[in-house]
Amino acid sequence: NAALAHYSPSNGSSRTLSAGEMYLFDTGGQYLDGTTDVTRTVHWGQPTPLQKEAYTRVLMGNIDLFRLIFPSNTAGRTVESFARRALWDVGLNYGHGTGHGIGNFLSVHEWPVGFQSNNVPLAAGMFTSIEPGYYRDGEFGIRIEDIALVVEAQTKSEEKPFLTFEVVSLVPYDRNLIDLSLLSPEQIRYLNSYYKRIREHVGPELQRQQLEEAYKWLQESTKP
C-alpha cells in the first residue's frame, strides 16, 4: 500500500507481503542523543524496468541534492528542485515535500527547517530530511529518505561561506533496484564514498555486538 505516500494500516486494508513486489518502510526512533527518520524501499524479487528506473531516478535526486553546494542564507525552496530533476527529465514527479526539519529528541517533523516556501533559509548546524519519491497509484511507492546536516562547504573561493549537506543516515540502498547505466560518474563516486563510510562506522559496531549475519549483509550491500 505504499503507493500512498502517507499510508496507515487498518484491518480492512492490510494485506500479506510477497517477495514479488516493492516494500517501502519509513523507520525511526527517539533517543536521548537524537531522533532518526530513515526511509528505504526494497524489492526481494525481480523488479520491472519501470520500477528500477523510477527507483534509480529517486536515488539520483537524493544524491544530487546532497552533493549540491549553495550560498549561505539560501532558502530550501530554491534548491529543492535538484531532488526532482532526474524524475522531471522523464515526466515523473512526487506530490509531497522534499524534506523537513528534525528535532533533537523533539519532533520528528520540526518546523521551520525544510524545503517549503514558508521555511527559513538554510544555515550550518540545521538538520533536515532529504526524501524524494515516486508513487504509482495502485501499484507501488518509492521513497528514499536520509537525514542531512547542513555544513560549510570547502570551496576555492574566499567569498563568504557556501553550504552543502552531509549525510547522517548510514543505511545502504537496495542494489537490486539500481540501474547503474543511468548514474553519472559523480553519482557513482558519491555512492562508493557513502558505502565506505557505512562500512567504517557501522561494520565495527555490528561486530562488537556479534551480529554476524547483519555484518555479512552489510559487507555485501556496501560493495563498490
Side-chain angles (χ1 to χ4, degrees):
N1 295 300
L4 294 171
H6 297 102
Y7 166 76
S8 295
S10 67
N11 289 335
S13 67
S14 300
R15 59 187 180 83
T16 304
L17 285 171
S18 77
E21 61 187 331
M22 301 184 93
Y23 176 49
L24 185 159
F25 55 108
D26 191 338
T27 76
Q30 294 280 19
Y31 304 93
L32 292 174
D33 53 356
T35 299
T36 65
D37 190 12
V38 182
T39 304
R40 289 293 182 265
T41 306
V42 299
H43 196 304
W44 294 303
Q46 184 61 47
T48 67
L50 172 63
Q51 289 173 334
K52 283 192 74 166
E53 177 168 0
Y55 179 92
T56 304
R57 290 186 178 277
V58 170
L59 178 60
M60 290 163 70
N62 178 290
I63 293 172
D64 287 347
L65 189 49
F66 264 105
R67 292 184 61 245
L68 188 66
I69 295 174
F70 52 92
S72 297
N73 212 38
T74 296
R77 67 179 181 275
T78 304
V79 300
E80 83 84 61
S81 60
F82 282 86
R84 299 178 185 266
R85 183 174 59 181
L87 289 164
W88 286 354
D89 282 345
V90 291
L92 303 180
N93 201 10
Y94 54 93
H96 58 74
T98 293
H100 55 81
I102 297 175
N104 181 6
F105 201 57
L106 295 167
S107 302
V108 177
H109 288 224
E110 187 167 90
W111 193 84
V113 179
F115 299 93
Q116 307 290 347
S117 60
N118 63 343
N119 290 136
V120 297
L122 295 166
M126 291 179 173
F127 284 95
T128 180
S129 69
I130 291 179
E131 49 181 299
Y134 174 69
Y135 310 86
R136 180 159 285 233
D137 288 350
E139 293 186 36
F140 61 86
I142 300 165
R143 186 161 64 255
I144 298 175
E145 177 184 22
D146 289 305
I147 297 175
L149 171 63
V150 183
V151 297
E152 287 194 9
Q154 301 298 316
T155 64
K156 296 178 181 178
S157 171
E158 295 183 1
E159 301 291 324
K160 59 184 179 180
F162 274 56
L163 301 174
T164 189
F165 298 106
E166 178 184 308
V167 63
V168 175
S169 313
L170 299 178
V171 184
Y173 306 116
D174 186 4
R175 302 175 83 90
N176 191 32
L177 281 165
I178 299 175
D179 182 350
L180 282 176
S181 70
L182 294 175
L183 299 181
S184 69
E186 292 80 12
Q187 290 166 337
I188 291 174
R189 278 197 293 271
Y190 174 91
L191 269 182
N192 285 335
S193 174
Y194 179 52
Y195 282 168
K196 184 171 181 284
R197 279 188 63 200
I198 294 175
R199 282 190 171 200
E200 291 173 350
H201 286 78
V202 182
E205 179 61 23
L206 295 179
Q207 289 182 306
R208 188 187 70 81
Q209 295 186 32
Q210 298 182 323
L211 297 171
E212 291 306 319
E213 185 178 356
Y215 179 76
K216 182 179 178 182
W217 172 86
L218 186 83
Q219 295 298 104
E220 188 68 24
S221 300
T222 55
K223 292 190 301 187

